Amino acid sequence: MITVGDVMNMRAFDNIWLAAPCEGAAEREVLGVGTLDHEPFTGEYDLFSPGEIVFTTLGLAELHPDLAETALLELIDRNVAAVAVKNVVLKELPASVAARSSKAGVPVLFYQGRFMERVIADLMNALDDDAAEWERTHLIDSVLASSDEQSVRAAFFTIAGVTGATIQCIAARAVTDDDASLRALQRVLEEALTNYGERWDDVERTFACRYRGRILGFVSFKRPPLKAIAISDADLEKCVATASPLICGISQEMALGEADLAVRQAMAALDTAHNEDCETVRWTTLRFDAFRAAAKSDRLYSRSADLMRSLLFDYDVDHDAELARTAETFAANFGEVRATAEALFQHPNTVRYRLKKIKEVLGMDTATDRELAALLTLVYLP
C-alpha cells in the first residue's frame, strides 16, 4: 500500500510540507495520480476520483485568485487522497480551504521541486510496483494455505518464474522498520542472490520480493538435494550476510512442490533470529524451535496444547494456585524436580505436591513424573 506519507518521502521533492493541520494525513492510501493544469469546465471536477493524489501549480489562479480556493474545495469534497500544490502562485491556503481540509481529513500539501513530471513518474512506478507486490502477496498467501504439490509448483512459477527441482527460501527484515529500508534491502538481497547463483552451476534462478513487512528471497536448483543439509548452505549464509544490515532466516532446501514449507521454515528461522538478536539463523540448526514452529502451524496440535494449558489455568484461577507456572517450568527443565524447584525458588517437596495436583487435573493420576514431563514438553512446545 502506498500512502501519502510515502509520497512525502519521495526524493523527487526538494521540500514538501502540510499546508494546514490534518490528522492522519500520512496514513491515507494513495490509489492513483491526477493533475490539475487548468480550470475544468463546469462539473468536470468529478473527473477526480477518491484516493487520487492531485498535483497542481494552480496556474489557473494566477489572474483570478478566487479560482484557487474553488479548485481546492472541489477536490477536498471529492475525497482525494491529497492535493499537492507547487507553491509558485499560491503561497498560503485560504482560511476556508484550511478549515475544510482539517475537517474532512484530506491533506493539502505545499511542495518545492523542479519537475512535476518526475514526481508523477516516480509515483506511478511505485503504484505499479505496489500492485505487483499485492498480487505476489496474495499468491504467497494461497501457497501457504495449499497442500497440493502441483498447485504449489504452479503458484511459484507465477510468483518467481522458477521451474527447478528444489527451492530454498530466505526471509529477511531490515534492521530499521520502514518501507524505504525494506525496498533498499530488496535490491541488495537480489544482488547478493544473483552473485550466489553465479557461483553455483546448479542454480536455476534467484528471485526476491516483499511480503508483509519482510523480504522473501528464493534460490531454485536444477537437481535434487544430495544430503539433508545442502553443501551450499554455508555459502548461501555468507552471501546473504553481504546484504547487511539485516536479520535473516534460511530454510532447508526443499522439493519445489514443498516450497510452501520452505517459506514457513524461513519465516520461523527469521523469528528466532529476531528473538535471539542474531543476524542469521538456518532452519537446519533450530532443533527445538523447529518443532515449536511446526507445532504452532498445526491447528489440531495447537488446540490440544491449548486444552491442557487451559485446564491448569482454570484450576489456578479457582484455587489461587500456581500449577501452570510449575508445569511449564517442569517441562523446561526436562522433568528434573530439583532444577524446577530452584527455578521457582520453592522446596522440592512443594514441587512434588504440585506435580501430583497437575496429574489429577489432567486426568493422569497414575502417570510417573517422567511420563508427565514428556506430556508437558509437548503441551508447552508451541
Side-chain angles (χ1 to χ4, degrees):
M1 181 177 74
I2 302 295
T3 65
V4 171
D6 293 328
V7 176
M8 295 178 72
N9 285 321
M10 289 172 57
R11 295 179 180 177
F13 296 110
D14 293 336
N15 194 14
I16 185 167
W17 65 96
L18 273 173
C22 185
E23 187 174 353
E27 287 74 38
R28 288 177 66 83
E29 184 176 6
V30 177
L31 301 176
V33 185
T35 59
L36 177 62
D37 294 323
H38 54 78
E39 183 186 10
F41 294 109
T42 304
E44 286 199 0
Y45 282 101
D46 291 337
L47 295 173
F48 296 99
S49 304
E52 283 187 328
I53 183 166
V54 180
F55 290 90
T56 180
T57 61
L58 287 178
L60 57 93
E62 192 163 8
L63 298 178
H64 303 284
D66 57 309
L67 293 180
E69 181 177 7
T70 300
L72 293 173
L73 291 174
E74 291 279 358
L75 292 172
I76 290 170
D77 288 345
R78 279 151 183 79
N79 195 32
V80 297
V83 184
V85 181
K86 190 170 183 179
N87 69 331
V88 177
V89 175
L90 191 69
K91 300 298 184 181
E92 60 182 32
L93 286 189
S96 61
V97 176
R100 187 82 61 89
S101 171
S102 298
K103 182 178 180 181
V106 176
V108 178
L109 310 169
F110 279 155
Y111 76 92
Q112 295 169 339
R114 286 174 291 176
F115 303 109
M116 183 192 297
E117 293 80 6
R118 178 185 168 190
V119 174
I120 293 172
D122 286 353
L123 180 52
M124 289 297 294
N125 287 336
L127 287 168
D128 289 343
D129 185 50
D130 194 63
E133 288 297 330
W134 183 90
E135 179 64 24
R136 290 192 189 100
T137 291
H138 283 269
L139 281 169
I140 293 172
D141 284 343
S142 69
V143 164
L144 294 180
S146 174
S147 58
D148 181 336
E149 291 192 8
Q150 284 300 111
S151 64
V152 171
R153 291 180 67 94
F156 266 80
F157 176 76
T158 304
I159 292 166
V162 295
T163 58
T166 64
I167 196 166
Q168 202 161 9
C169 180
I170 300 94
R173 290 176 48 183
V175 174
T176 54
D177 190 16
D178 63 79
D179 191 59
S181 296
L182 197 65
R183 290 172 185 269
L185 175 60
Q186 179 182 356
R187 292 191 295 272
V188 174
L189 186 59
E190 285 173 344
E191 182 178 349
L193 293 181
T194 298
N195 293 336
Y196 173 81
E198 291 173 351
R199 291 204 297 272
W200 291 85
D201 293 336
D202 290 331
V203 171
E204 180 252 344
R205 176 169 166 74
T206 62
F207 180 79
C209 65
R210 298 187 301 281
Y211 176 68
R212 301 194 180 283
R214 311 175 185 91
I215 299 297
L216 294 184
F218 300 100
V219 180
S220 174
F221 297 89
K222 303 171 187 176
R223 45 88 189 127
L226 302 178
K227 296 183 178 180
I229 301 178
I231 59 173
S232 58
D233 263 20
D235 190 38
L236 179 58
E237 182 177 358
K238 290 178 183 176
C239 194
V240 169
T242 65
S244 60
L246 55 75
I247 306 168
C248 177
I250 302 176
S251 80
Q252 183 183 2
E253 188 181 332
M254 309 284 288
L256 184 56
E258 295 181 314
D260 56 326
L261 298 182
V263 175
R264 293 181 191 279
Q265 286 183 354
M267 292 196 296
L270 173 62
D271 289 342
T272 298
H274 176 71
N275 293 336
E276 297 184 1
D277 197 23
C278 299
E279 288 187 358
T280 305
V281 169
R282 284 188 273 165
W283 171 267
T284 51
T285 66
L286 279 185
R287 307 299 180 257
F288 266 102
D289 279 352
F291 287 95
R292 288 191 183 99
K296 286 179 181 178
S297 66
D298 187 281
R299 294 175 62 201
L300 185 58
Y301 188 114
S302 296
R303 284 293 184 190
S304 300
D306 285 345
L307 171 62
M308 299 297 165
R309 292 195 297 267
S310 295
L311 290 172
L312 298 175
F313 175 80
D314 291 345
Y315 182 91
D316 286 347
V317 171
D318 293 340
H319 298 85
D320 192 24
E322 291 191 22
L323 298 191
R325 184 176 173 220
T326 301
E328 184 172 7
T329 306
F330 187 60
N333 286 279
F334 304 103
E336 293 286 341
V337 172
R338 186 167 297 280
T340 302
E342 290 175 357
L344 294 172
F345 302 102
Q346 297 290 338
H347 193 279
N349 286 342
T350 302
V351 171
R352 292 188 181 94
Y353 171 78
R354 291 180 183 176
L355 294 178
K356 182 180 178 182
K357 295 301 296 182
I358 289 169
K359 292 175 187 177
E360 293 175 6
V361 172
L362 298 182
M364 48 189 305
D365 306 57
T366 60
T368 65
D369 284 356
R370 182 173 295 180
E371 290 171 332
L372 178 63
L375 175 69
L376 293 179
T377 298
L378 298 176
V379 168
Y380 286 98
L381 186 60

